[in-house]
DNA sequence: CTGAACTTTCAATTATTATTGAAACTTATT
DNA sequence: AATAAGTTTCAATAATAATTGAAAGTTCAG
């Protein structure tokens, strides 16, 4: 077993935030939004907009908009602190719940519109060779998407326990 | 039941290509790449670079780069036509296979690097309150990602029949 | 009602990513 | 070997998306 020099905490924290941001970008979630989420996820206490601005070195407008988006997605909540007027925020700490929420939102925003379109495109007549090929591709795609939709829906509606158990069984 | 006027084929084709492109964009796949894929998916015959350029009104460079990317991803193949010197292309028509390939590539390119980083960040000492919270978040995240990785891996390695059967069982 | 503390908005700017097109390169034909 | 047909590359440009910051909007205490 190789000895690995333990990292400085600040270095580790930074590395995590940066990489979570990068992952977000490649999955259609804006970088800052993912970074704010990362920061809140690892913070033991609730944070104010100022705290977030300072930690991530971003502007007030940027912080505000992305915090709001996170609240919209249901993975960050506004918190109140006794004797303090400004808002504080905290992230959902249960990562399975975070996964469910993100899945649900993206499903709703991106997959469902496409499914509606596929359904509409199915009505095309299949006369020429081109039309037959088109119809067949659309039909397959719709069946595929609907299947995945089904799994995703189960996941989203499941309580963690149920899902986790099924998942284990499934993977076996 | 409402009567829906059947669409013109060209209109339908266009709508499909545009929307597949949009979906691609929001899932980290570039628009043109997704559009070329859509076009090949619904074409009964193999297409040349010129055909693709013309249909999508894109430049040669753009067409070339994105066709190559699709080949890299393993969902488009170069085809040869008797008596023709230039290259032709066709897309994998089995949509489950396409799903597996895309999943595998994104897994390899995006999820695995993050998993490596999480694994490395776990070595942090948990002394201060901050460090304990960090360690706990990282540990949870790694467990979650590893679980999902497991399902994805099964999916990628499965033959369609196996996966489809399991999926049905899973969704029930 | 007034002013201070705080939040939100949005036009302008900056950063990122995709696309073009012409030149360089490769391969096949005579 | 010369030419033609086809392909690839990549610096320049265009399109898209994120970010800033200052002004406008809210809310609350006195």
């Amino acid at each position: 077993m190789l000895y690995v020099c333990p990292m400085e905490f600040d270095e580790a924290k930074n590395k995590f935030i940066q990489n979570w941001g990068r992952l977000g970008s490649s999955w259609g979630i804006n970088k800052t939004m993912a970074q704010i989420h990362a920061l809140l996820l690892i913070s033991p206490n609730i944070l104010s907009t100022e705290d977030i601005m300072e930690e991530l070195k971003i502007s007030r407008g940027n912080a505000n908009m992305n915090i709001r988006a996170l609240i919209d997605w249901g993975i960050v909540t506004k918190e109140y602190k006794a004797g303090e007027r400004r808002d504080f925020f905290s992230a959902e700490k249960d990562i399975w719940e975070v996964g469910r929420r993100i899945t649900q939102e993206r499903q709703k925003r991106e997959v469902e519109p496409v499914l509606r379109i596929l359904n509409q495109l199915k009505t095309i007549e299949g006369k020429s060779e081109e039309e037959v090929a088109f119809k067949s591709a659309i039909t397959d795609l719709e069946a595929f998407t609907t299947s995945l939709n089904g799994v995703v829906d189960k996941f989203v509606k499941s309580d963690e326990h149920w899902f986790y158990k099924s998942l284990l069984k499934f993977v076996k």
Side-chain angles (χ1 to χ4, degrees), chain A:
Chain A
M1 189 61 179
L2 214 63
Y3 174 73
V4 181
C5 170
M7 232 179 249
E8 282 300 323
F9 176 62
D10 282 356
E11 191 192 337
K13 181 172 169 181
N14 210 266
K15 195 165 186 175
F16 174 63
I17 291 172
Q18 295 310 317
N19 277 285
W20 209 241
R22 254 187 347 102
L23 188 66
S25 299
S26 69
W27 287 87
I29 288 160
N30 120 9
K31 191 182 66 172
T32 305
M33 188 170 157
Q35 288 181 339
I36 295 176
H37 181 243
L39 178 62
L40 286 171
L41 204 62
I42 60 174
S43 291
N45 341 85
I46 60 183
L47 300 180
S48 68
T49 303
E50 277 76 19
D51 294 335
I52 293 169
M53 287 164 59
E54 197 179 320
E55 281 271 7
L56 303 178
K57 277 142 186 61
I58 57 173
S59 72
R60 183 172 295 280
N62 196 8
N64 185 268
M65 278 175 126
N66 284 294
I67 290 169
R68 189 140 46 76
L70 286 163
I71 293 173
D72 273 358
W73 281 55
I75 55 181
V76 160
T77 46
K78 229 179 235 202
E79 306 286 348
Y80 298 95
K81 203 169 182 174
E84 286 267 17
R85 197 160 139 199
R86 68 215 157 120
D87 293 341
F88 287 79
F89 306 95
S90 73
E92 168 66 59
K93 291 288 159 62
D94 176 349
I95 197 69
W96 286 89
E97 182 58 25
V98 172
R100 282 196 289 273
R101 292 279 170 84
I102 291 179
T103 306
Q104 181 173 37
E105 281 298 317
R106 304 208 65 181
Q107 189 78 355
K108 201 169 68 190
R109 290 171 200 221
E110 293 150 17
V111 180
E112 276 169 22
V114 170
L115 211 51
R116 266 198 297 280
I117 285 163
L118 287 177
N119 200 55
Q120 184 187 354
L121 295 179
K122 268 198 317 190
T123 63
I124 203 84
E125 284 183 86
K127 278 158 83 180
S128 67
E129 190 192 10
E130 263 199 306
E131 285 167 9
V132 172
F134 181 78
K135 198 169 183 143
S136 148
I138 298 292
T139 305
D140 286 359
L141 224 44
E142 205 211 6
F144 177 75
T145 313
T146 305
S147 282
L148 286 191
N149 228 17
V151 187
V152 164
D153 214 53
K154 272 282 170 191
F155 174 47
V156 165
K157 290 190 178 130
S158 70
D159 65 285
E160 178 180 341
H161 187 63
W162 177 89
F163 185 75
Y164 197 66
K165 258 182 13 196
S166 303
L167 196 64
L168 285 176
K169 204 163 61 193
F170 179 65
V171 173
K172 175 140 37 76

